[in-house]
């Protein structure tokens, strides 16, 4: 059409089809990926077969000898290497559980390996180990079981000569020695471990790198959305790598070509820290961590070795990976390392100085927060922060408790008072009823104080640094309206270990995918936890309003830990009270010469008190105090508490002696008691046996304000009295001027408040009713009690009751109840002759022989009170919880933690249940239940078996819950004891030289000496000239309260300070009076300068 047209074929597409091409079946091609890196039937022909280029095996290259340590001892390097070593070989087994074996390795690298690129020594006995130099320097930990089995050999050893080093073998796995392979079962005492590998290995670094390339790109193929380009491309890249490996006949060239193909998806920088140098904004902050349970499925002695193994691993990784930063908590663990492995400690300290190794947490251990007293929580921070500051030059800013079983409501206030404004955890992701709704939020304390809290959305503190961990850091983030960033805390944990080489390599590739391909959240390293929180706080400063959560972070799991290991919990409560009294008396004894003429030789026993506190704080670790450790741990804690009590009673006697007191039996002086509480007390006290006789009654009335309390030995014809009588067969009536109660078969069928003629027990109900439940949780025996256990309630049968004490000052009846063929409980119900109005209660003391199997013993108190909320004492305050099951959040609190009391009140009247050393409680409707004993069989097969002594009381009160309950519970837990003094008036002024007046809601909780006073200081910090007294007060009922500290001490000034005893505002003194005002539930600390 109008001239010639030149025909051109410009397309490269062939005109004719070369043949059919099918569409990939993605499920098949994804399933194929496992063939390349799995250890199954193809491992001899896939990439795994190319990871190593050669081995030095046998005695020609690796000569082994061993010293097997007797008696489960753990000797030092010097002690062990001085012993005789005997020849051994691969294939030999070593045991039993918990034993230690030291190996001398004489190593010579084979000639054919001398020029290889990378040499390692591989050791695997399926248990933990520590590599030592010939000169006794610990180098690196080994895990076993195919994990962390390598130690990089020094290049200097490529000389063909023999070199010597040692491995200390611990006959336990990372999670102890559980029976039958179930992690939480009691330890098998007779495990043995076979040495399977002791080889020199030449590593093919290219193959090792391709392994990780392929792993992460394969994860992209599997975990990116199936309809995404990114998933399709990852599948093509991984299959291309496999194809080139096969076509190249598994050659080194095919491996290098596979790495080139991987770069299409990963970019060019995955082999170095340069991968993180792009300008793209990261939102996932990956920080290495090693959670080492201070005791759990292994004893403290093994923890000390786990610390060295784990932390030396991290120092080694920091040398090889410049982006690696690592954090670890618990001042106790640093102290152990300092004491037992000084060269390892120096290495850690150098990394801290370089900004690579971050001490975090600010506490002595990662402690339980439900059961320790308020003062114990203070000391966790005081001792922890002082250690970190004195050893590393800085205090911690972030409170770190990733694995504790719930978080009490006053922690934000105490954190702020200890210099920490941030909090990290993730444990609430374990909730088994409700899903906690926030990731980053402001957590608000009872007093209104707040900390910025972050819970890692990966829902773990031991992330494996998988592709999915990075992905979930965004997909499970619940606070992205305010901020999209998150922490990814990675590294082997619980049993220690920490991050691995492989994990760091995986994160490099995850970052590479984000920059090269996209879609995956961008991760960064070479950052710290503080960098992450700094950014969040900066946003808050600039106006970001984070959502808030008020009150406790209740953990909807592990509710049985309020009760398990009852004697351990009792020791905790008793030790806390003992320390309170020691510090009060020792403080006054140490300043005696500042008040009186003459010099006192008494010196405040700071070291002994510190040792006691450190031991008590150690036992508050979040598996020890809750009762979720193996039996060996409770053998250890029992010994430690025995040391605490021996030291404590000696210190108490020394302080009393310095103040002029002697024992009652000395017969020297007037009988007196010392009231260490901050208010007037008037109580019936049993006289020492030497004072009682048929003519003289067994009881005295002790009364007085803080300090000296007088003792009146009561006559046989008192003005007030208690009576008991059998009103009909098997029914006993106890009465004083305040209460009248009927006891039948050990239960209280009627309790009348005579002051208003009110019956407290609903008609047809029984208080002090012992009940037992079947207790079989879903898995975690020592930890959990599940809601369905309530359906198995069974009343224990009524026992025979008899009168054992018949006034006039105290009456008692005792009932022995059979629990089973092996178990019984003997309960004594007592009523004292009335003291002051509002302080009388009905007391129960129980002796229990407990030999049950998966049972739960409780005692019930139905009361004629109506309220939708019950009140429970917590540290420095009160927490109110529902008595109904309206929502799943309400029902989840079917078992809760309380301290010395729980209360159910309505307008005008209420009932408090007091306890001595119990923590588990429940209030459902008008039924109040105190938890007494459990019988789990894992991880301690003998938990709670044996004899127990339990005290609790019913304390009815006219009017609302108020200071009467708070003070009576304090006194119930701290009974007065009688001493003698030749001149009580001479110390009356000193013992009452610091007192608190004003609203009774104010509690003077602690009196102690200033940490760095010149006569007290142990040298950690510059000495403070002169002497000072620390006074800690809190508001206990939830309202603004004013009061006055009155003192007769010659004080120069008064300053308010924080928990770390940093002085803040000076407070005016007016004629020995310091006026104070505290907001609701505030904790306030004051320093009185002498």
């Amino acid at each position: 059409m109008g001239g010639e047209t030149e025909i051109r074929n410009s397309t490269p597409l062939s005109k004719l089809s070369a043949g059919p091409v099918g569409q990939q079946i993605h499920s098949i091609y994804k399933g194929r990926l496992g063939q390349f890196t799995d250890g199954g039937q193809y491992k001899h022909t896939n990439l795994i077969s190319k990871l190593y280029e050669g081995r030095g095996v046998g005695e020609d290259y690796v000569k082994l000898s061993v010293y097997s340590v007797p008696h489960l001892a753990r000797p030092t390097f010097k002690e062990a290497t001085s012993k005789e070593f005997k020849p051994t070989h691969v294939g030999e087994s070593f045991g039993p559980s918990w034993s230690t074996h030291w190996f001398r390795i004489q190593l010579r690298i084979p000639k054919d390996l001398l020029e290889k690129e990378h040499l390692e020594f591989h050791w695997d006995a399926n248990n933990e180990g520590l590599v030592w130099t010939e000169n006794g320097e610990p180098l690196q930990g080994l895990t076993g079981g195919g994990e962390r089995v390598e130690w990089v050999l020094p290049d200097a050893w490529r000389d063909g000569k023999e070199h010597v080093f040692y491995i200390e073998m611990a006959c336990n796995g990372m999670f102890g020695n559980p029976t039958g392979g179930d992690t939480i079962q009691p330890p098998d005492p007779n495990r043995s471990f076979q040495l399977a590998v002791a080889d020199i290995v030449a590593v093919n670094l290219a193959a090792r790198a391709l392994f990780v390339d392929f792993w992460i790109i394969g994860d992209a193929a599997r975990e990116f959305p199936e309809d995404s380009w990114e998933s399709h491309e990852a599948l093509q890249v991984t299959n291309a790598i496999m194809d080139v490996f096969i076509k190249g006949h598994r050659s080194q060239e095919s491996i290098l070509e596979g790495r080139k193909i991987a770069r299409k998806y990963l970019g060019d920088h995955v082999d170095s820290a340069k991968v993180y140098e792009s300008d793209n904004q990261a939102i996932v902050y990956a920080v290495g961590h090693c959670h080492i349970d201070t005791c759990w499925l292994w004893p403290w002695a093994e923890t000390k070795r786990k610390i060295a193994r784990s932390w030396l691993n991290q120092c080694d990784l920091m040398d090889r990976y410049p982006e690696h930063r690592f954090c670890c908590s618990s001042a106790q663990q640093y102290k152990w390392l300092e004491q037992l492995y000084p060269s390892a400690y120096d290495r850690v300290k150098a990394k801290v100085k370089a900004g690579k190794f971050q001490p975090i947490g600010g506490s002595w251990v990662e402690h339980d927060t439900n059961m320790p007293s308020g003062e114990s929580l203070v000391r966790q921070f005081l001792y922890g922060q002082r250690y970190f500051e004195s050893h590393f030059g800085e205090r911690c800013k972030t409170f770190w408790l990733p694995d504790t079983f719930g978080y009490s409501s006053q922690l934000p206030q105490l954190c702020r008072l200890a210099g920490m404004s941030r909090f990290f955890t993730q444990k609430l992701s374990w909730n088994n009823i409700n899903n906690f709704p926030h990731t980053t939020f402001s957590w608000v304390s009872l007093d209104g104080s707040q900390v910025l809290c972050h819970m890692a959305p990966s829902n773990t503190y031991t992330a494996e640094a998988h592709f999915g961990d990075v992905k979930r850091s965004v997909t499970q983030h619940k606070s992205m309206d305010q901020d999209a960033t998150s922490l990814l805390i990675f590294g082997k944990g619980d049993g220690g270990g920490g991050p691995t080489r492989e994990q760091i390599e995986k994160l490099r590739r995850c970052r590479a995918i984000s920059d090269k391909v996209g879609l995956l959240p961008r991760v960064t390293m070479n950052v710290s936890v503080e960098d992450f929180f700094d950014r969040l706080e900066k946003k808050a400063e600039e106006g970001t309003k984070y959502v808030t959560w008020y009150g406790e972070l209740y953990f909807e799991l592990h509710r049985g830990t309020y009760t398990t290991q009852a004697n351990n919990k009792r020791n905790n409560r008793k030790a806390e009270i003992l320390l309170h009294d020691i510090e009060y008396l020792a403080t006054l004894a140490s300043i005696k010469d500042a008040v009186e003429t003459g010099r006192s030789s008494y010196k405040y026993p700071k070291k002994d008190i510190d040792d006691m506190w450190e031991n008590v704080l150690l036992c508050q670790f979040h598996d020890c105090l809750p009762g979720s450790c193996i039996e060996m741990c409770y053998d250890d804690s029992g010994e430690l508490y025995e040391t605490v009590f021996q030291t404590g009673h000696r210190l108490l006697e020394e302080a009393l002696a310095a103040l002029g007191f002697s024992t009652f039996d000395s017969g020297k002086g007037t009988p007196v008691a010392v009231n260490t509480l901050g208010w007037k007390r008037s109580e019936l006290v049993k006289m020492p046996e030497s004072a009682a006789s048929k003519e003289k009654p067994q009881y005295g009335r002790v009364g007085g304000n803080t300090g000296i309390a007088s003792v009146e030995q009561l006559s046989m014809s008192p003005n007030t009295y208690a009576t008991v009588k059998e009103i009909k067969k098997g029914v006993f009536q106890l009465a004083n001027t305040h209460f009248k109660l009927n006891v039948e078969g050990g239960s209280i069928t009627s309790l009348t408040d005579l002051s208003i003629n009110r019956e407290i027990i609903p008609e047809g109900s029984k208080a002090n009713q012992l009940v037992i439940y079947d207790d079989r949780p879903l898995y975690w025996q020592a930890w959990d009690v599940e809601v369905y256990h309530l359906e198995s309630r069974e009343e224990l049968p009524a026992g025979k009751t008899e009168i054992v004490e018949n006034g006039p000052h105290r009456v008692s009846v005792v009932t022995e109840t059979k629990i089973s063929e092996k178990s019984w409980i003997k309960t004594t119900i007592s009523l004292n002759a009335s003291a002051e109005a509002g302080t009388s209660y009905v007391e129960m003391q129980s002796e229990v022989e407990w030999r049950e199997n998966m049972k739960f013993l409780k005692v019930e108190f139905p009361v004629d009170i109506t309220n939708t909320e019950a009140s429970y004492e917590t540290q420095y305050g009160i927490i109110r919880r529902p008595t109904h099951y309206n929502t799943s959040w309400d029902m989840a609190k079917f078992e809760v933690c309380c301290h010395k009391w729980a209360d159910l009140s309505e307008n005008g009247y209420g009932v408090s249940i007091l306890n001595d050393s119990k923590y588990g409680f429940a209030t459902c409707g008008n039924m109040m239940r105190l938890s007494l004993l459990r019988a789990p069989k894992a991880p301690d097969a003998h938990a709670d078996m044996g004899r127990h002594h339990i005290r609790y009381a019913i304390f009815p009160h006219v009017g609302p819950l108020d200071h009467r309950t708070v003070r009576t519970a304090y006194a119930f837990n701290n009974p007065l004891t009688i001493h003698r003094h030749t001149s009580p008036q001479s110390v009356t002024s000193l013992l009452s030289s610091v007192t608190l007046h004003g609203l009774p809601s104010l509690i003077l909780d602690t009196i102690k000496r200033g940490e760095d006073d010149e006569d007290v200081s142990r040298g950690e910090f510059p000495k403070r000239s002169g002497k000072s007294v620390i006074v800690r007060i809190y508001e206990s009922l939830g309202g603004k309260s004013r009061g006055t500290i009155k003192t007769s001490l010659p004080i120069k000034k008064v300053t308010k300070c924080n928990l770390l005893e940093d002085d803040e505002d000076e407070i005016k003194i007016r004629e020995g009076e310091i006026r104070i005002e505290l907001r609701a539930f505030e904790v306030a600390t004051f320093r009185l300068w002498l």
Side-chain angles (χ1 to χ4, degrees):
M1 296 178 61
E4 294 183 6
T5 303
E6 184 179 355
I7 300 174
R8 296 174 179 170
N9 185 2
S10 60
T11 177
L13 180 65
S14 173
K15 182 177 181 179
L16 299 177
S17 171
V21 178
Q23 186 174 7
Q24 284 185 356
I25 309 302
H26 285 176
S27 60
I28 293 175
Y29 280 79
K30 285 180 185 177
R32 179 198 185 201
L33 300 184
Q35 295 182 1
F36 193 52
T37 53
D38 286 355
Q41 61 182 331
Y42 301 115
K43 67 181 179 181
H44 297 298
T45 57
N46 65 14
L47 185 60
I48 289 178
S49 68
K50 307 300 291 183
L51 291 176
Y52 307 117
E53 298 178 309
R55 287 180 179 267
V57 180
E59 289 195 357
D60 289 343
Y61 308 111
V62 180
K63 190 180 297 183
L64 303 176
S65 55
V66 65
Y67 164 58
S68 294
V69 183
H71 312 305
L72 305 186
R74 295 173 171 88
T76 65
F77 175 90
K78 184 176 180 180
E79 292 167 343
T81 55
S82 68
K83 304 297 184 180
E84 179 184 357
F85 280 66
K86 297 180 179 180
T88 188
H89 55 83
V90 170
E92 190 166 349
S93 293
F94 301 90
S97 303
W98 312 116
S99 63
T100 297
H101 304 266
W102 282 82
F103 293 82
R104 180 185 292 123
I105 296 98
Q106 296 164 266
L107 177 146
R108 182 174 60 83
I109 297 172
K111 288 183 179 180
D112 61 333
L113 299 186
L114 290 176
E115 302 302 321
K116 295 296 184 181
E117 181 182 10
H118 184 79
L119 298 178
E120 296 176 347
F121 181 74
H122 285 200
W123 174 277
D124 195 350
N126 199 32
N127 57 17
E128 293 193 81
L130 180 60
V131 180
W132 294 77
T133 69
E134 187 177 14
N135 297 324
E137 295 296 319
L139 295 178
Q140 181 200 306
L142 302 167
T143 300
E147 191 171 278
R148 205 169 344 233
V149 298
E150 75 280 1
W151 172 54
V152 178
L153 292 174
D155 285 339
W157 289 14
R158 297 170 181 261
D159 55 6
K161 298 178 182 179
E162 183 177 273
H163 298 273
V164 176
F165 65 101
Y166 293 85
I167 290 178
E168 177 189 14
M169 174 193 284
C171 282
N172 53 266
M174 289 295 279
F175 292 90
N177 288 299
T179 301
D182 182 347
T183 301
I184 69 166
Q185 292 307 306
D188 177 353
N190 296 309
R191 280 185 74 187
S192 61
F193 297 84
Q194 185 180 56
L195 177 59
V197 178
D199 298 347
I200 301 167
V201 179
V203 179
N204 184 341
L205 292 181
R208 179 180 275 181
L210 181 60
F211 185 95
V212 186
D213 291 344
F214 190 88
W215 182 350
I216 295 300
I217 301 172
D219 279 350
R222 288 180 287 267
E223 297 199 35
F224 276 150
E226 285 193 6
D227 59 356
S228 68
W229 166 85
E230 293 85 355
S231 174
H232 284 260
E233 181 67 10
L235 188 59
Q236 301 314 306
V237 168
T238 47
N239 275 274
I241 291 170
M242 293 183 71
D243 291 342
V244 78
F245 184 75
I246 293 168
K247 290 176 182 177
H249 305 290
R250 301 166 49 245
S251 66
Q252 186 68 11
E253 289 74 18
S254 70
I255 292 170
L256 296 173
E257 186 62 29
R259 293 223 67 205
K260 288 180 182 178
I261 295 169
R263 290 193 191 105
K264 296 177 182 178
Y265 207 82
L266 300 176
D268 298 326
H269 300 301
V270 294
D271 293 330
S272 76
K274 288 183 179 179
V275 73
Y276 295 107
E277 292 179 4
S278 69
D279 294 331
N280 299 318
Q281 181 64 45
I283 60 172
V284 180
Y285 289 61
V287 180
H289 177 55
C290 173
H291 183 72
I292 305 176
D293 283 317
T294 303
C295 61
W296 181 31
L297 304 176
W298 51 87
W300 284 322
E302 196 55 45
T303 303
K304 296 169 185 179
R305 300 201 292 191
K306 283 176 175 285
I307 295 162
R309 293 190 286 256
S310 301
W311 293 3
L312 284 169
N313 288 342
Q314 301 316 306
C315 292
D316 175 65
L317 287 172
M318 289 169 193
D319 292 337
R320 291 192 275 157
Y321 291 91
E323 71 267 35
H324 182 39
R325 293 177 78 174
F326 174 80
C327 69
C328 221
S329 68
S330 303
Q332 173 68 87
Q333 295 188 6
Y334 288 84
K335 183 173 181 178
W336 278 338
L337 190 73
E338 179 187 14
Q339 291 173 332
L340 301 174
Y341 301 90
S343 66
Y345 174 79
D346 289 342
R347 196 171 169 193
V348 165
K349 194 167 185 178
K351 297 300 183 185
V352 172
K353 188 175 182 179
K356 296 293 186 180
F357 196 119
Q358 181 193 358
I360 200 166
S363 56
W364 190 247
V365 294
E366 287 189 15
H367 52 91
D368 178 73
T369 77
N370 290 310
M371 292 169 283
S373 67
E375 190 61 30
S376 284
L377 295 183
V378 169
R379 300 308 174 95
Q380 287 284 354
F381 292 144
L382 178 69
Y383 282 87
Q385 290 285 49
R386 285 176 65 84
Y387 184 90
F388 289 128
E389 185 178 9
S390 63
H391 287 72
F392 303 112
E394 288 187 8
R395 294 173 178 173
C396 301
K397 298 178 182 178
T398 300
F399 186 32
W400 185 269
L401 279 187
D403 193 31
T404 294
F405 312 149
Y407 305 95
S408 61
S409 51
Q410 285 286 49
L411 281 175
Q413 178 182 188
L414 300 182
C415 283
R416 297 308 294 260
L417 291 171
M420 293 180 285
S421 58
R422 302 101 178 259
F423 177 53
F424 174 83
T425 186
Q426 65 79 49
K427 198 65 175 182
L428 297 195
S429 68
W430 286 39
N431 280 3
N432 70 346
I433 295 180
N434 297 288
N435 187 7
F436 191 78
H438 308 306
T439 293
T440 302
F441 59 98
S442 178
W443 181 25
V444 184
S445 192
L446 291 179
D447 77 313
S449 300
Q450 66 175 345
V451 293
L452 192 57
C453 181
H454 180 74
M455 298 188 183
S458 58
N459 289 346
T460 181
Y461 52 89
T462 58
E464 291 285 348
H466 290 320
F467 180 100
D469 291 321
V470 176
K471 180 183 173 185
R472 286 186 290 274
S473 294
V474 167
T475 59
Q476 295 181 169
H477 200 302
K478 302 168 188 172
S479 303
M480 298 208 333
D481 290 346
Q482 290 80 40
D483 185 83
T485 63
S486 64
L487 283 170
L488 176 62
I489 304 303
F490 72 98
K492 305 290 182 179
D494 291 331
T500 64
R501 167 196 56 79
E502 199 170 60
Q503 291 173 346
I504 298 172
E505 293 282 0
K506 285 188 290 181
L507 287 172
R508 283 182 173 180
R509 286 152 179 80
C510 288
R511 172 56 181 259
I513 289 176
S514 303
D515 287 341
K516 180 75 174 177
V517 178
L519 198 57
L520 184 67
R522 187 168 286 108
V523 64
T524 189
M525 290 186 66
N526 200 26
V527 291
S528 69
V529 173
E530 304 306 352
D531 294 334
F532 172 77
F533 275 109
D534 284 345
R535 183 183 165 281
L536 293 180
E537 289 190 349
K538 180 68 173 176
K539 287 190 68 174
E541 183 183 7
E542 293 170 349
T544 298
K545 294 183 178 179
Y546 296 104
V547 296
T548 54
W549 184 273
Y550 282 75
E552 71 176 330
L553 294 172
Y554 177 83
F555 184 38
E556 296 178 2
L557 202 66
H558 294 1
R559 302 169 184 87
T561 59
Y562 312 143
T563 305
T564 309
Q565 298 287 0
N567 285 331
N568 192 59
K569 290 173 168 59
R570 188 172 188 268
N571 284 337
N572 175 72
R573 180 85 63 88
K574 298 301 182 185
E576 290 172 334
I577 292 169
L578 179 60
L579 276 160
H580 168 276
D581 289 356
I582 290 168
E583 289 185 325
Y584 165 76
L585 292 167
T587 294
L588 298 178
S590 70
I591 61 172
K592 183 180 178 182
D593 56 358
V595 178
E596 304 173 358
T597 57
R599 292 188 60 81
S600 171
S601 61
Y602 181 83
K603 182 174 173 58
Y604 190 78
K606 183 70 164 61
K607 182 184 183 303
D608 284 337
I609 289 173
D610 286 347
D611 290 345
M612 286 181 66
W613 267 118
E614 288 180 9
N615 287 337
V616 171
L617 300 177
L618 170 59
C619 292
Q620 290 172 350
F621 175 71
H622 69 251
D623 280 304
C624 185
L625 180 55
S628 49
C629 290
I630 61 173
E631 187 173 9
M632 293 171 75
C633 298
Y634 295 106
D635 293 339
D636 288 347
S637 68
E639 291 178 7
L640 211 56
Y641 276 124
E642 182 62 30
T643 299
V644 167
F645 293 132
Q646 287 177 358
T647 302
H649 291 309
R650 173 176 59 80
L651 296 184
L652 203 61
E653 290 174 7
E654 289 172 356
L656 286 167
L659 292 166
F661 293 92
S662 59
T663 63
F664 185 88
D665 291 341
S666 70
K668 300 175 182 178
T670 305
V672 291
V674 180
N675 176 14
T676 60
L677 301 180
W679 50 85
K680 184 179 180 181
R681 297 171 68 176
S682 177
E683 297 166 19
L684 190 72
V685 175
K686 192 168 187 177
M687 298 295 292
E689 290 184 8
S690 58
S693 66
K694 291 183 180 180
E695 293 77 25
K696 296 182 179 178
Q698 296 180 322
Y699 294 96
R701 175 69 61 189
V702 179
N705 291 308
T706 301
I708 293 289
S710 61
V711 177
E712 175 193 357
Q713 191 154 354
L714 298 173
S715 70
M716 298 301 291
S717 302
N719 294 325
T720 60
Y721 53 88
T723 61
V724 58
K725 58 185 176 181
E726 188 171 12
I727 57 175
K728 62 179 180 180
K729 186 172 179 58
V731 180
F732 297 83
Q733 187 173 88
L734 289 71
N736 63 17
T737 55
H738 295 300
F739 299 118
K740 179 176 68 177
L741 60 147
N742 293 343
V743 177
E744 184 176 1
S747 299
I748 300 172
T749 56
S750 173
L751 174 57
T752 304
D753 186 332
L754 299 175
S755 67
I756 57 172
N757 195 30
R758 173 167 178 157
E759 175 60 57
I760 295 165
I761 310 300
E763 185 175 357
S765 297
K766 295 178 289 184
N768 198 47
Q769 174 63 56
L770 293 163
V771 290
I772 198 164
Y773 299 83
D774 190 70
D775 188 15
R776 300 171 190 266
L778 296 175
Y779 178 65
W780 301 96
Q781 283 195 46
W783 294 259
D784 288 349
V785 57
E786 296 294 356
V787 66
Y788 54 75
H789 88 284
L790 295 170
E791 298 167 19
S792 66
R793 176 185 179 275
E794 181 180 347
E795 291 187 7
L796 292 183
K800 181 182 178 181
T801 302
E802 60 184 9
I803 298 171
V804 291
E805 200 167 9
N806 193 0
H809 307 293
R810 180 179 174 93
V811 293
S812 302
V813 295
V814 65
T815 306
E816 185 166 342
T817 303
K818 183 177 180 181
I819 299 173
S820 69
E821 292 302 317
K822 296 180 179 179
S823 304
W824 51 263
I825 181 168
K826 186 184 297 183
T827 304
T828 302
I829 302 175
S830 301
L831 190 65
N832 289 345
S834 299
E836 296 180 0
T839 62
S840 187
Y841 50 75
V842 181
E843 180 180 353
M844 276 65 68
Q845 295 188 58
S846 297
E847 182 181 5
V848 189
E849 180 66 20
W850 183 245
R851 299 288 176 183
E852 295 304 293
N853 183 13
M854 300 182 193
K855 297 294 182 180
F856 200 151
L857 180 66
K858 304 186 184 186
V859 60
E860 294 180 341
F861 304 93
V863 292
D864 190 15
I865 302 288
T866 301
N867 200 326
T868 57
E869 287 185 326
S871 299
Y872 303 85
E873 186 188 41
T874 187
Q875 299 97 340
Y876 298 131
I878 297 170
I879 186 159
R880 294 175 175 85
R881 300 181 177 111
T883 61
H884 54 76
Y885 293 162
N886 283 1
T887 70
S888 60
W889 293 89
D890 299 325
M891 190 185 74
K893 297 178 180 177
F894 62 84
E895 180 85 3
V896 298
C897 184
C898 76
H899 278 231
K900 298 185 290 294
W901 56 265
D903 182 86
L904 186 64
S905 292
E906 62 187 22
N907 182 42
Y909 203 83
V911 176
S912 300
I913 304 300
L914 316 181
N915 78 80
D916 172 0
S917 306
K918 293 298 170 186
Y919 296 92
F921 208 92
T923 307
C924 183
N926 71 336
M927 177 65 76
M928 306 176 77
R929 282 193 300 265
L930 178 65
S931 297
L932 301 180
L933 293 169
R934 297 185 69 222
K937 300 305 173 186
D940 177 0
H942 306 109
D944 283 318
M945 296 299 98
R947 193 65 55 92
H948 298 267
H949 296 87
I950 304 168
R951 288 177 66 234
Y952 52 92
I954 309 172
F955 178 60
H957 52 86
V958 177
L961 168 65
D962 59 19
H963 68 280
R964 293 169 296 173
T965 291
V966 176
R967 292 183 172 187
T968 304
Y970 263 98
F972 187 76
N973 278 266
N974 195 348
L976 292 163
T977 56
I978 299 175
H979 310 276
R980 288 186 184 272
H981 201 289
T982 55
S983 178
Q985 63 277 10
S986 67
V987 291
T988 297
S989 176
L990 176 61
L991 290 176
S992 59
S993 58
V994 180
T995 55
L996 179 62
H997 306 263
L999 288 179
S1001 61
L1002 294 175
I1003 301 295
L1004 199 169
D1005 193 54
T1006 298
I1007 291 179
K1008 63 182 288 289
R1009 287 296 305 276
E1011 287 293 313
D1012 298 307
D1013 290 356
E1014 60 186 4
D1015 65 321
V1016 167
S1017 171
R1018 297 180 65 195
E1020 307 103 308
F1021 295 96
K1023 294 181 179 180
R1024 179 183 287 104
S1025 61
K1027 297 182 179 182
S1028 68
V1029 175
I1030 300 295
V1031 178
R1032 192 151 18 254
I1033 296 167
Y1034 74 97
E1035 197 286 317
S1036 64
L1037 296 175
K1040 182 180 288 188
S1041 298
R1042 293 175 178 171
T1044 302
I1045 302 170
K1046 294 184 178 180
T1047 179
S1048 58
L1049 298 176
I1051 57 176
K1052 299 174 182 176
K1053 64 176 180 178
V1054 176
T1055 52
K1056 193 172 185 180
C1057 53
N1058 61 20
L1059 302 184
L1060 308 182
E1061 300 183 15
D1062 299 324
D1063 294 305
E1064 296 172 349
D1065 298 331
E1066 186 170 350
I1067 300 174
K1068 292 181 179 179
I1069 309 168
R1070 295 184 178 88
E1071 297 179 353
E1073 296 187 356
I1074 304 104
R1075 296 178 184 175
I1076 60 173
E1077 180 178 282
L1078 274 63
R1079 62 183 177 273
F1081 297 125
E1082 180 183 358
V1083 180
T1085 306
F1086 303 91
R1087 183 192 305 279
L1088 310 185
W1089 299 70
L1090 272 63

